[in-house]
Amino acid sequence: MHDDRHLVEARLKRVLDERIRPAVYPHAVPLDVAVWNAPGEPVPVAEGLAAPTVPAAVGDRWGAPWSTCWFRVSGTVPAEWAGCTVEALLDLGFDENMPGFQCEGLVYRPDGTPVKGLNPRNQWVRVGAPAAGGEEVLLHIEAASNPVILDFHPFLPTPLGDRETAGSEPQYTLARMDLAVFDENVWHLVQDLEVLGELMQELPVESARRWDVLRAIGKALDTVDLQDVNGTAAAAREQLGAVLAAPAEASAHRVSAVGHAHIDSAWLWPLRETVRKVARTTSNMTALLEDEPDFVFAMSQAQQFAWIKEHRPEVYARVKEAVAAGRFVPSGGMWVESDTNMPGSEAMARQFVHGKRFFLDEFGIENDEAWLPDTFGFAAGLPQIIKAAGSKWLLTQKISWSQTNKFPHHTFQWEGIDGTRIFTHFPPVDTYNCSMKGSEIAHAANNFKDKGAARHSLAPTGWGDGGGGTTREMIAKAARMRDLEGSATVTWETPADFFTKAEAEYPNAPVWVGELYLELHRATLTSQAKTKQGNRRSEHLLREAELWASTAAVRAAAPYPYEQLDRVWKTVLLHQFHDILPGSSIAWVHREAEKTYAAVADELNRLIGDAQRALAGDGGSGTTVAFNAAPHARGGVPAGAAAIVSGEDAAAGDASRLGTREGGGYVLDNGLLRVEIDGSGLVVSVYDTGAERESVAPGLAANLLQIHPDFPNMWDAWDVDEFYRNTVTDLTGIDELTPLEHDGAAAVRLVRSFGDSQVTQVLTLAPGAKRLDIDTEVDWHETEKFLKVAFPLDVHAERYASETQFGHFYRATHTNTSWEAAKFEACNHRFVHLEEPGWGVALLNDSTYGHDVTRTVRGTDAGTTTTVRVSLLRAPRFPDPETDQGVHRFRHALAPGAGIGDAVREGFRVNLPERRVAGDREVAPLVSVDNDAVVISAVKLADDASGDVVVRLYESTGGRARVRLGLGFDASGVALTDLLERPLEGASVPALQENRVQLSLRPFELVTLRLTRG
């Protein structure tokens, strides 16, 4: 037989595009259009519906950036359409190739009832099925003129990312406003031909099935009368019946389709617009659930449910009804789909606490899965947090974006730092916006790494980010692939249904130990420094507020601020969303975030101050009380306690000494460390006097500022590509080098200028401190540059420790494999630590996350130099062209001779400074531990307002620990609980004896205790 395959394939494409798809709507009449341009920010629905309008027409330009226009469309169904299915086609000027990144609309009835969203792939509104001739149609559209930020030529700097700079030029042109007859037969023919045509393209040319499909398509096209598509569509469909009815092979891959609409809680739009995106999408999905009995839709992020509850109660009522029916599934159990690298221990725990509690309170539902398809890698501490929250599964997708190494599994057990394992799946479909194309389903089956041992995978299906979610076309395609020869089978299922089947079939899934590092988007650890500082400082302020408020409630009967703390936690958790905290959102988002963090700090400082004044007593005696919120004793003040101090106590221990250095510069010496700073302001020696050990590698200098060009190939705010290292400039020029002394601490102030920027640093050696404190102020006005500060250390280390949630994680300092080489920029929390047996060095920070560690062997003495570099600032121009411009302040410290326990302690010290208030009462700790390896991460009152005290603690050094928890209040009972403060089933209850609880912890084990007050 002659090969006419290409001829039939080309014929199918043209006939579909030019004849069959246009025939879905064979008859149309225009609607009358009027518009009201809302001034300023979005208005309530009632105001939009009642506003005065002016005439408008197709072809009119509309919508300044970020504005809202209310369109009123009206018309009459022609009498001859009686009995037909009639739809309104409402095209606001969409580009169908960009669902989710442009204008959107929400359609209302005149009474304010939401109907459905309008999106590039979802422009129809059903007005009659069957329609009555002469029926009047009146609809209102709340149309959002969200500008296109990520355009055809992506990553170009644009002022459109902030309303303050976006201008007023109309962004869109009304394209179509019609009533039209919907021909369901033709629509089904389109779905038949698309499914078979896409399947055909994925089958081997030698496959008999491919040729069977080809011949059936040819016969169907022969049957279609191109001058009467509507009259011949049914006959054409009959030609396809046999090939559509052929069942799938018994060994076919099984795809669990989950209706989905991944909505970034902020990204290329501000938070307020996400509220409307969620309302549009959920309106679409609740309507679709009513029409499609097999369809199941899942939505994560409790914050998004809370938004529609607050701002669109009429939409929320429909969501609650669909949730109760089991068809609209709250998934994930987190407040938002957060970044997981940078949030601290308690913040990561509270993501699950607040998310799961919202779903329990609102719907009576508890999720077993964590749902994080788009998060930029996963910290090694996350598995035990998921388990401690009462969940057991994790879904992600983003690992498929890694540039260097292909992850070896799609379904596996992920083991965290404490040994906890979580059953994990990342879909081989390689998208969280599956549209049910044949190529996507075939890719899922072919790509699946666990063939032979497992056969189930999940496909999150629907347009995200305001694209409107799942469409009726996707559902129609899935129905045809439910049992179709040559295809994987497709079934709509909930995430829980999928995970139950996947786990049952794969009891011995392979294990991946340690972090799930994304080999991409590494610069998100540095971009938008003020957002990152706001997060870090908010986390520590929340720790303080809970600790002192709890202590004041128990000791002084002060009211505990339950509602305030709940609200502030949710605000901080929201801003940990994976495009806010990583610094990858538009200027508007980060400008608002900076203001929000300032307000959070003000509120929490007031709460802390109120609690401390209630505890400290009368300040009239002239005495001062020092409060220590850190988990370790400091300056004679126990952890979580306060002590009266005198003026002489301000500089405890012998004063450090400041001297001049031979050859220029200065020497700082406090008997523990001797620090030499040369005439250029570089730290050329940090000598550990007790260990008789030099920290800085010979011939090199620490605290060396370095600047690199920074223009990645793509994703400017997200990425730093390895070639940035090829060019580096050491910033050694000095404007000023000045000695300082304050409260017995020796210090040196230095100023450097470079480009259009300036750095001011103060290097301080405090009395009795075995660390060099470095305070840095950068007035930053560079573009597409990367600023780092380097510490070349005389340490031979093949690995180093980075703090992560509830512990630390080791990474290699070498690049033996491509997996190690790919980690050229990584995340830490409060410290990085490296050591030789018996001696180590910690580098501490108060608000930075990104860093790199490299090693070289010196030619002079064959010794090893291990260089730790802290990432300070970047200056990408997309999506925020003014990223990080302005003044920034950082605090770092170098601690020679530090063990891992010292690194933990000093990391808290840098982030939790002592507070002093006027008072005359000492405050004993509410709870205490007798083992410094055990860190108390939270002290609070129980969320249910029972008055119970909740204590969370963990082993911090990676070893086993026995610890006695001492209680500074009468307790009548103790329970081991999960993160939601519920007793753990089957857990042995630790004994409570004489207000002490004895515990034995595994390495990095996390424990939550609930203590009933007597």
Side-chain angles (χ1 to χ4, degrees), residues 656-661 664-669 675 677-681 734-751 760-765:
S656 58
R657 296 175 296 280
L658 173 69
T660 58
R661 176 179 176 271
Y666 298 94
V667 177
L668 313 178
D669 194 330
V675 179
I677 301 164
D678 72 7
S680 297
I734 189 80
D735 300 344
E736 178 186 333
L737 187 63
T738 308
L740 300 173
E741 284 191 83
H742 179 68
D743 286 340
V748 171
R749 179 177 184 271
L750 60 96
V751 179
T760 302
Q761 291 186 302
V762 177
L763 281 58
T764 305
L765 186 61

Side-chain angles (χ1 to χ4, degrees), residues 685-700:
S685 173
V686 183
Y687 189 76
D688 181 345
T689 306
E692 299 181 337
R693 171 80 185 247
E694 176 60 61
S695 306
V696 180
L700 299 175

